[in-house]
Amino acid sequence: MPVLMKYRNAGAVAFIASTALLLCSTQAFAGYGHGGSTNGSDTSASGKSDGTGGVSAQAGAVVFDRSKNGSGESAGPVTSTSTWTPPACYYAPKYTPDELQKYLEPIWNAESTGSQWDLEQRKHYVTDDYKDFNKAKTGKGYWWDSYVTKGREGDPGALDCDKPIFWVDKGTAPPADIPEAITPKMLAQLAYAEIRVPSTKVDLAPAGTTKVNLPTWAWLDTAKFKPVSVTASVPLLNVSATTTAEPVALKIEPGTDDATTYPASGVCEFDNGHIGEAYAKGKSDETPPCGVRYLRSSGDGSYKLKATITWKIHWTGTGVNREQPLPNGTFGAEQDVIVQEIQSVNR
């Protein structure tokens, strides 16, 4: 195993470097395989437009449908409110028996991994544990291998999937001692990493420049903040999961301690699809349901008001009857607010 890991890690580094250009293309890949290979041939397909502005990106075993995801230059990924993060690697179908033979035999023949390891590999895949790469079961299952989630290549967790390539019959669950194996729950977690939500710049009244001790109303255009979702699937296994994010609260941080927020917690809950309330003429003497009152001038500069939306995230998928929770996610943005002293004239 140490020899195998050494080889695989070196191959992965070389592969990442050689595919840097591909990351800039319009195709978004689900993951990378070990050993410098792409994600197989029969089990892979290229990305394509779905005709609705989303891209159904395919790589290896996993396909992402992002047609109902957030979009636009200001959209961004959510950050988990806990220490949990989506998986950095996973196992999924990768090779048919013929493909595994084409992948492994050149490695053995190169004699760069050591004769002892090569012999053990041949015994495992050709003569003892399996016969001739399991070709007798062609069409009845796949060889599974590990993938590194796109964007997580340098993550230490990407090295957690270090088990040798293993066989799984169609309709059979992967081995119980491999928690990183693809399941609907794992697909939901991978889809979580693909969620994109709109920027959280809020509307303010007064806009841009306000006055000391003047309540400043804050609200969001709720038309931009509707549930978004991403579906991840493995067509080879006929399993899928859809992860959905719904906005539930807006938190306002004034950018200075010399300020009072409305409500006092600074958290404005969604209320019948609304976040805050738009200012209207005649409300100058009212307290805004969502907003801020600055107690000190920003001088020659401005305060960085930060608005962060919390998104409730859940999933459902193959064999799952009810929505299942995932950790909430947040996404925020800053905007400049100039606060001036109220000028008065003495007569």
Side-chain angles (χ1 to χ4, degrees), residues 187-257:
L187 286 171
Q189 295 172 347
L190 292 172
Y192 185 111
E194 300 297 319
I195 289 288
R196 297 294 181 268
V197 296
S199 170
T200 52
K201 183 176 181 179
V202 295
D203 293 309
L204 299 172
T209 302
T210 187
K211 304 295 184 182
V212 172
N213 286 320
L214 178 66
T216 300
W217 293 57
W219 69 95
L220 285 170
D221 180 359
T222 54
K224 298 179 182 178
F225 294 91
K226 295 184 178 181
V228 299
S229 65
V230 172
T231 297
S233 63
V234 182
L236 289 176
L237 303 178
N238 197 30
V239 295
S240 65
T242 298
T243 298
T244 301
E246 300 180 75
V248 292
L250 165 69
K251 181 178 181 180
I252 292 180
E253 297 173 84
T256 174
D257 292 335

Side-chain angles (χ1 to χ4, degrees), residues 8-251:
R8 285 191 162 188
N9 291 344
V13 171
F15 177 64
I16 292 165
S18 66
T19 54
L21 181 60
L22 292 178
L23 292 177
C24 300
S25 70
T26 57
Q27 297 179 9
F29 292 92
Y32 307 115
H34 279 150
S37 70
T38 55
N39 293 321
S41 55
D42 289 353
T43 59
S44 66
S46 60
K48 62 181 181 179
S49 170
D50 60 11
T52 63
V55 173
S56 182
Q58 306 181 28
V62 179
V63 178
F64 291 116
D65 180 358
R66 302 181 180 87
S67 60
K68 297 180 181 179
N69 204 11
S71 60
E73 293 182 359
S74 62
V78 294
T79 300
S80 170
T81 56
S82 70
T83 58
W84 176 88
T85 59
C89 69
Y90 57 93
Y91 295 95
K94 187 170 182 182
Y95 302 107
T96 64
D98 282 339
E99 288 169 345
L100 183 61
Q101 180 180 12
K102 292 176 182 178
Y103 169 59
L104 287 180
E105 283 191 337
I107 297 173
W108 301 338
N109 294 336
E111 299 181 352
S112 60
T113 50
S115 59
Q116 181 62 33
W117 180 77
D118 292 344
L119 178 61
E120 292 174 355
Q121 288 277 294
R122 289 183 185 278
K123 285 183 177 180
H124 180 66
Y125 293 108
V126 182
T127 61
D128 292 357
D129 299 328
Y130 297 94
K131 303 297 182 182
D132 194 20
F133 299 96
N134 229 17
K135 287 182 181 178
K137 285 193 172 184
T138 297
K140 299 179 180 179
Y142 288 96
W143 289 104
W144 288 41
D145 198 6
S146 59
Y147 295 79
V148 176
T149 306
K150 182 175 71 72
R152 304 288 294 279
E153 298 82 9
D155 192 313
L159 300 178
D160 289 345
C161 301
D162 59 0
K163 294 186 180 297
I165 300 167
F166 56 93
W167 178 267
V168 178
D169 288 329
K170 286 184 177 179
T172 301
D177 63 343
I178 303 181
E180 301 90 354
I182 276 292
T183 60
K185 183 177 182 179
M186 177 70 75
L187 286 171
Q189 295 172 347
L190 292 172
Y192 185 111
E194 300 297 319
I195 289 288
R196 297 294 181 268
V197 296
S199 170
T200 52
K201 183 176 181 179
V202 295
D203 293 309
L204 299 172
T209 302
T210 187
K211 304 295 184 182
V212 172
N213 286 320
L214 178 66
T216 300
W217 293 57
W219 69 95
L220 285 170
D221 180 359
T222 54
K224 298 179 182 178
F225 294 91
K226 295 184 178 181
V228 299
S229 65
V230 172
T231 297
S233 63
V234 182
L236 289 176
L237 303 178
N238 197 30
V239 295
S240 65
T242 298
T243 298
T244 301
E246 300 180 75
V248 292
L250 165 69
K251 181 178 181 180

Side-chain angles (χ1 to χ4, degrees), residues 246-285:
E246 300 180 75
V248 292
L250 165 69
K251 181 178 181 180
I252 292 180
E253 297 173 84
T256 174
D257 292 335
D258 295 315
T260 299
T261 56
Y262 305 102
S265 64
V267 177
C268 307
E269 303 289 343
F270 274 61
D271 183 16
N272 295 322
H274 298 284
I275 313 170
E277 182 180 327
Y279 178 78
K281 188 176 180 180
K283 294 183 178 180
S284 58
D285 293 331

